[in-house]
Amino acid sequence: MKPSISSADINALLCLLPNTEADMQLIARAQPVRLRTTYFGTDGEQCLLFRYPASTELVNTTHLIEPDTQVVIRYVLDEPYGEVVAFKVRVLKVIYSPLPMVITSFPSVLQKLGLRSQKRAISGVPVEVVLDEQENREAEGLIVDISKNGCKLLIPFKTVLQVIQSEEKITLCVELAERTLLIAARVKNVRIEKEFHAYGMQFEDDDNQLERLLERYMITL
């Protein structure tokens, strides 16, 4: 029997293009494990295909994901409105050759969290960037792909701020209705993406402000 998924959810899944990076969270463990993966495609409404997540310094993924493991998949849907899309699926099969791959069930429901109320060129959380090590250097940017450990920071080329160097410390200022969050982060990598300088950021502190940000802009299933 095919999953009873709505047409709107089907459209959101169709916007998940092959080779899109996604977040895979293992939920049936004492401590949730979040890993980066790549979406490969789908077999109609039968199953979804993802790259088997590579091991990191903190997590050895070897034999960590097995059939019947419950996982949550999250990804950012840029157009037409910025949304974080999340759904829960079950691992059906894991293959290791010729390409390490995780095959999951097809979701029955999606959860979507809007990141903005108006159409824009790219989704994200508006943020003011302040360099800790140099005075009077600020810029407006967007943070995307948020996790507990870090995020991607996008700063438009048109900003007066020059390229931030790797290992520089910055402060991310996020305006919420009730308060301003100040989150310390460090640049881990730099690259160019379309009209943006894209920075891989590592959060310096795991505190209540970061938890508030995660609660506001990430979906929990």
Side-chain angles (χ1 to χ4, degrees):
M1 179 180 295
K2 289 185 177 181
S4 56
I5 186 170
S6 70
S7 58
D9 287 350
I10 289 290
N11 289 335
L13 277 175
L14 291 176
C15 291
L16 180 57
L17 300 177
N19 295 321
T20 298
E21 289 190 357
D23 181 277
M24 177 180 290
Q25 178 181 342
L26 282 63
I27 58 178
R29 303 180 65 84
Q31 294 292 331
V33 176
R34 301 190 61 161
L35 305 165
R36 298 300 295 172
T37 184
T38 302
Y39 171 72
F40 286 152
T42 179
D43 180 10
E45 295 183 26
Q46 302 301 317
C47 62
L48 302 177
L49 290 75
F50 297 90
R51 174 180 56 81
Y52 193 99
S55 296
T56 67
E57 294 181 1
L58 300 178
V59 180
N60 182 358
T61 61
T62 305
H63 304 304
L64 183 64
I65 303 172
E66 299 177 339
D68 290 328
T69 301
Q70 296 285 328
V71 299
V72 172
I73 302 297
R74 295 181 180 86
Y75 62 95
V76 176
L77 179 61
D78 287 337
E79 299 293 347
Y81 294 96
E83 292 180 318
V84 177
V85 180
F87 53 83
K88 186 186 300 182
V89 288
R90 180 173 60 89
V91 175
L92 300 178
K93 189 173 183 179
V94 177
I95 61 176
Y96 299 96
S97 179
L99 183 69
M101 185 182 303
V102 179
I103 303 174
T104 75
S105 60
F106 201 84
S108 59
V109 64
L110 274 66
Q111 290 190 11
K112 288 172 280 187
L113 175 67
L115 296 179
R116 59 179 183 267
S117 59
Q118 298 180 344
K119 292 184 180 181
R120 297 175 65 175
I122 189 167
S123 66
V125 181
V127 60
E128 180 179 343
V129 182
V130 180
L131 270 72
D132 294 356
E133 299 177 355
Q134 300 184 44
E135 296 182 357
N136 301 319
R137 292 191 64 185
E138 301 179 358
E140 300 295 323
L142 298 170
I143 52 178
V144 298
D145 294 342
I146 310 169
S147 72
K148 185 176 181 180
N149 297 319
C151 67
K152 181 194 291 185
L153 170 65
L154 301 178
I155 299 180
F157 288 155
K158 62 183 180 182
T159 180
V160 296
L161 184 67
Q162 300 300 312
V163 176
I164 307 173
Q165 300 302 313
S166 181
E167 297 302 322
E168 280 196 63
K169 292 183 179 181
I170 66 173
T171 299
L172 302 174
C173 307
V174 183
E175 295 288 345
L176 302 182
E178 66 276 13
R179 61 178 297 187
T180 299
L181 302 182
L182 302 177
I183 299 173
R186 182 184 296 272
V187 176
K188 302 307 292 185
N189 58 73
V190 184
R191 62 183 181 182
I192 302 299
E193 292 188 5
K194 297 181 180 178
E195 299 179 356
F196 297 88
H197 296 294
Y199 303 94
M201 306 301 305
Q202 178 180 306
F203 295 135
E204 292 283 278
D205 301 310
D206 183 7
D207 57 17
N208 293 334
Q209 296 198 81
L210 177 56
E211 290 297 326
R212 183 74 61 85
L213 180 67
L214 296 177
E215 289 174 4
R216 180 64 60 89
Y217 289 106
M218 295 186 67
I219 295 175
T220 300
L221 294 182

